[in-house]
């Protein structure tokens, strides 16, 4: 391998021109010259920038595993390396780094099929981008305190504390405090909670939203003497008027125990496109990947490894392990379903959602949702197991599927219909778009 890399580098010394120069023509057999003719000028050496760029690319490639590739792939690898070295040299002549060159090429690429991944806030109904989801949810919960402070504080506890085991222990302890008051209202000791108590500090005080909950259900902060210690400490003390509203306290306890984390719903971004030959072409934004932009660029730079890997012998277990690793790269998938009349239905899904979700998505878009149909994946494979996840079916990070009607039923429908109409709902067809 090292030998033909060196051959390429040596070859490039004659094929890479300096700034303002043209690439030299391929060498031809020299014509016979008269003896008196002056010897030709020596070929000009490549610029320092071009030589550095080529050397850097060669050094990077030499760091790759030294395993000998099969001879059948030698020419393919050599051609790929030659392209990379030439691109490296061309980028240096323009004064660009390889990363900047790739960004320049990406800037000229087609516009994304969707602008990003969006979510619907369960409190406001607003549609927000993925990177704004957490911020918007917090603002919505804060605004809800003016509506129902108890419910808002419960939302904070369950939604913004990520350790589910700590949340479970916290709410069970808080519920116990409220239970003691409800069952023993005459016992003054149960109506006071010492804030410096070890259990309170370790299980409750350290979690977000807990103090707001106690204040919302009728506790207030008081500084009281600690029995038997001769010093004062801060306590939560239940207000006297709450003793006549113990049923409300019980309801608050039940809400606290039964609540679930507040979750923004993935926005499907349902879109209908006119028939288009570009249906199988996808341009996805970074939101769809579980990778940073830098990691994606790194994968592009390492694309030559795929040529070598494809020629290596791998066991079934190795292939399955690699497939599982690939599936984890994707959080979302963009799916298109092409109807027999050519119209295309597009939606955004979680990569781990089941195929049944897609069937329901298509059914909800139909004018007659009772019509039986099948979905065919790439290659015409029927998606019969609706419990499988999209990433288990290879439908990530994007895929074009086809819809096939039940032939017998459609024959009856067409015979009874006066005119053929699109099976999609009229309101969807009213905002049909053109796929670029």
């Amino acid at each position: 391998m090292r030998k033909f890399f060196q051959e390429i580098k040596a070859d490039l010394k004659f094929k890479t021109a300096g700034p303002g120069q043209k690439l030299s023509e391929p060498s031809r057999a020299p014509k016979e010259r008269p003896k008196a003719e002056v010897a030709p000028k020596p070929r000009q050496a490549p610029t320092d920038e071009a030589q550095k760029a080529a050397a850097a690319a060669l050094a990077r490639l030499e760091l790759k595993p030294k395993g000998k590739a099969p001879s059948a792939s030698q020419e393919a690898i050599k051609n790929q390396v030659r392209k990379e070295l030439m691109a490296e040299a061309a980028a240096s002549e323009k004064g660009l780094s390889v990363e900047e060159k790739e960004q320049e090429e990406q800037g000229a690429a087609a516009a994304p099929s969707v602008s990003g991944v969006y979510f619907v806030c369960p409190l406001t109904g607003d549609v927000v981008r993925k990177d704004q989801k957490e911020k918007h949810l917090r603002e919505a919960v804060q605004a809800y305190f003016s509506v129902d402070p108890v419910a808002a504080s419960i939302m904070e506890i369950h939604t913004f504390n990520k350790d589910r085991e700590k949340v479970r222990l916290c709410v069970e302890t808080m519920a116990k405090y409220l239970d003691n008051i409800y069952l023993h209202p005459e016992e003054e000791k149960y109506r006071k909670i010492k804030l410096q108590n070890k259990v309170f500090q370790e299980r409750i005080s350290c979690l977000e939203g807990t103090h707001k909950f106690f204040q919302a259900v009728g506790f207030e902060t008081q500084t009281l003497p600690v029995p038997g210690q001769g010093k004062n400490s801060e306590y939560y003390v239940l207000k006297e008027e709450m003793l006549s509203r113990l049923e409300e306290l019980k309801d608050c306890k039940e809400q606290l125990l039964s609540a679930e984390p507040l979750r923004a719903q993935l926005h499907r971004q349902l879109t209908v496109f006119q028939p288009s030959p570009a249906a199988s072409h996808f341009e996805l934004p970074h939101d769809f990947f579980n990778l940073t932009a830098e990691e994606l660029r790194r994968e592009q730079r390492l694309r030559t490894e795929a040529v070598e890997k494809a020629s290596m012998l791998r066991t079934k277990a190795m292939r399955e392990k690699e497939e599982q690793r690939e599936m984890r790269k994707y959080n979302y998938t963009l799916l298109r379903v092409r109807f027999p009349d050519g119209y295309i239905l597009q939606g955004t899904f979680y990569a781990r959602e089941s195929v049944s979700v897609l069937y329901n998505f298509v059914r909800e878009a139909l004018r007659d949702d009772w019509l039986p149909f099948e979905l065919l994946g790439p290659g015409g494979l029927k998606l019969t197991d609706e419990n499988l996840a999209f990433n288990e079916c290879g439908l990530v990070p994007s895929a074009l599927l086809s819809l096939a009607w039940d032939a017998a039923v459609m024959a009856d429908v067409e015979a009874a219909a006066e005119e053929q109409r699109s099976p999609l709902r009229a309101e969807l067809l009213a905002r049909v778009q053109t796929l670029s």
Side-chain angles (χ1 to χ4, degrees):
M1 290 289 286
R2 181 181 180 86
K3 183 178 179 182
F4 74 76
F5 288 149
Q6 291 173 339
E7 290 174 1
I8 296 170
K9 183 176 177 183
D11 188 38
L12 282 173
K13 286 186 177 181
F14 294 98
K15 293 193 175 185
T16 307
Q21 294 179 330
K22 297 181 178 178
L23 291 175
S24 60
E25 296 292 330
S27 58
R28 300 185 179 89
K31 296 181 180 178
E32 188 174 348
R33 295 191 301 265
K35 291 182 180 180
E37 187 176 342
V38 180
K41 282 186 175 183
R43 192 185 301 271
Q44 185 173 349
T47 64
D48 290 340
E49 291 80 1
Q51 290 188 56
K52 288 178 181 177
L58 180 61
R60 186 175 69 247
L61 290 164
E62 287 178 341
L63 289 175
K64 295 177 181 177
K66 302 290 184 180
K68 186 177 180 181
S71 59
S73 65
Q74 290 287 327
E75 191 59 33
I77 299 172
K78 188 171 181 178
N79 289 338
Q80 186 66 27
V81 174
R82 186 187 300 278
K83 287 178 183 178
E84 288 202 4
L85 293 177
M86 291 295 288
E88 195 95 41
S92 70
E93 288 179 13
K94 288 182 64 176
L96 299 173
S97 66
V98 177
E99 290 81 1
E100 291 170 331
K101 181 72 175 175
E102 289 174 351
Q103 290 173 6
E104 184 183 80
E105 291 172 354
Q106 290 171 2
S113 301
V114 285
S115 59
V117 175
Y118 291 82
F119 289 83
V120 181
C121 176
L123 288 178
T124 65
D126 294 339
V127 177
V128 295
R129 274 195 72 112
K130 184 179 75 170
D131 56 0
Q132 293 294 315
K133 178 182 65 171
E134 182 82 6
K135 178 176 178 289
H136 183 88
L137 207 55
R138 283 185 175 277
E139 291 173 351
V141 170
Q142 288 302 315
Y144 201 70
F145 270 96
S146 62
V147 178
D148 187 341
V150 174
S153 61
I154 292 173
M155 289 177 197
E156 274 198 3
I157 294 170
H158 282 276
T159 304
F160 302 128
N161 297 296
K162 303 306 180 185
D163 190 323
R164 303 314 305 161
E165 180 58 26
K166 283 186 177 181
V167 171
R168 183 192 65 79
L169 193 59
C170 169
V171 298
E172 286 179 356
T173 306
M174 293 170 71
K176 185 65 176 175
Y177 282 131
L178 300 184
D179 239 359
N180 285 336
I181 296 172
Y182 180 78
L183 297 173
H184 311 283
E186 71 286 350
E187 295 281 348
E188 185 181 353
K189 65 178 181 179
Y190 290 128
R191 302 200 299 268
K192 295 189 296 185
I193 304 171
K194 185 181 179 183
L195 300 188
Q196 296 305 314
N197 178 279
K198 183 178 179 182
V199 172
F200 187 87
Q201 286 290 316
E202 292 180 353
R203 296 186 184 183
I204 297 173
S205 187
C206 56
L207 269 66
E208 187 173 350
T210 53
H211 290 281
K212 294 179 183 178
F213 174 81
F214 279 110
Q215 293 163 10
V217 298
F219 283 86
E220 60 184 359
T221 307
Q222 293 184 18
T223 302
L224 301 172
V226 180
Q229 294 187 16
K231 62 178 183 179
N232 295 336
S233 184
E234 283 195 330
Y235 287 81
Y236 273 144
V237 181
L238 188 68
K239 297 175 184 178
E240 285 292 332
E241 63 262 28
M242 291 304 299
L243 292 177
S244 61
R245 297 155 57 186
L246 291 178
E247 288 302 322
E248 290 183 22
L249 208 62
K250 182 182 179 183
D251 290 342
C252 292
K253 182 203 75 171
E254 297 300 332
Q255 287 182 51
L256 180 66
L257 289 172
S258 62
E260 294 289 336
L262 204 61
R263 295 284 183 252
Q265 185 179 3
L266 179 66
H267 186 38
R268 296 295 183 204
Q269 302 186 72
L270 187 154
T271 311
V272 175
F273 294 109
Q274 292 177 345
S276 170
S280 60
H281 180 70
F282 293 85
E283 291 290 341
L284 298 177
H286 292 312
D287 288 1
F288 276 75
F289 301 88
N290 196 20
L291 297 171
T292 64
E294 179 57 36
E295 288 171 330
L296 287 172
R297 285 195 291 271
R298 180 176 177 274
E299 286 207 346
Q300 284 184 322
R301 290 199 297 272
L302 297 177
R303 60 190 177 276
T304 50
E305 289 186 357
V307 179
E308 296 178 57
K309 189 185 293 184
S311 62
M312 293 170 57
L313 213 56
R314 291 179 293 159
T315 66
K316 181 180 178 182
M318 290 170 64
R319 289 195 301 272
E320 289 177 350
K321 186 176 180 180
E322 183 174 332
E323 287 169 3
Q324 290 293 325
R325 189 165 55 247
E326 285 296 310
M327 287 195 300
R328 286 194 294 270
K329 289 181 181 179
Y330 310 112
N331 290 330
Y332 312 95
T333 183
L334 186 67
L335 300 179
R336 289 175 182 159
V337 177
R338 180 159 51 195
F339 284 72
D341 59 5
Y343 279 99
I344 301 157
L345 183 67
Q346 175 178 286
T348 303
F349 302 84
Y350 286 110
R352 293 171 182 82
E353 284 188 277
S354 65
V355 171
S356 62
V357 173
L358 180 60
Y359 270 91
N360 291 333
F361 175 74
V362 173
R363 198 168 285 114
E364 289 170 1
L366 296 179
R367 185 164 35 82
D368 299 312
D369 59 5
W370 57 269
L371 289 173
F373 64 88
E374 289 181 323
L375 293 178
L376 311 179
L381 182 66
K382 291 182 181 180
L383 300 179
T384 54
D385 189 347
E386 296 187 23
N387 294 318
L388 286 177
F390 294 128
N391 57 4
E392 293 175 320
C393 302
L395 301 178
V396 291
S398 59
L400 172 65
L401 303 97
S402 299
L403 182 142
W405 302 111
D406 182 283
V409 173
M410 286 309 295
D412 292 339
V413 171
E414 290 172 1
E418 295 180 2
E419 58 177 349
Q420 289 189 352
R421 296 182 297 169
S422 172
L424 291 166
R425 297 204 318 262
E427 58 268 31
L428 296 179
L429 292 173
R431 47 192 175 93
V432 68
Q433 298 182 26
T434 301
L435 189 61
S436 57

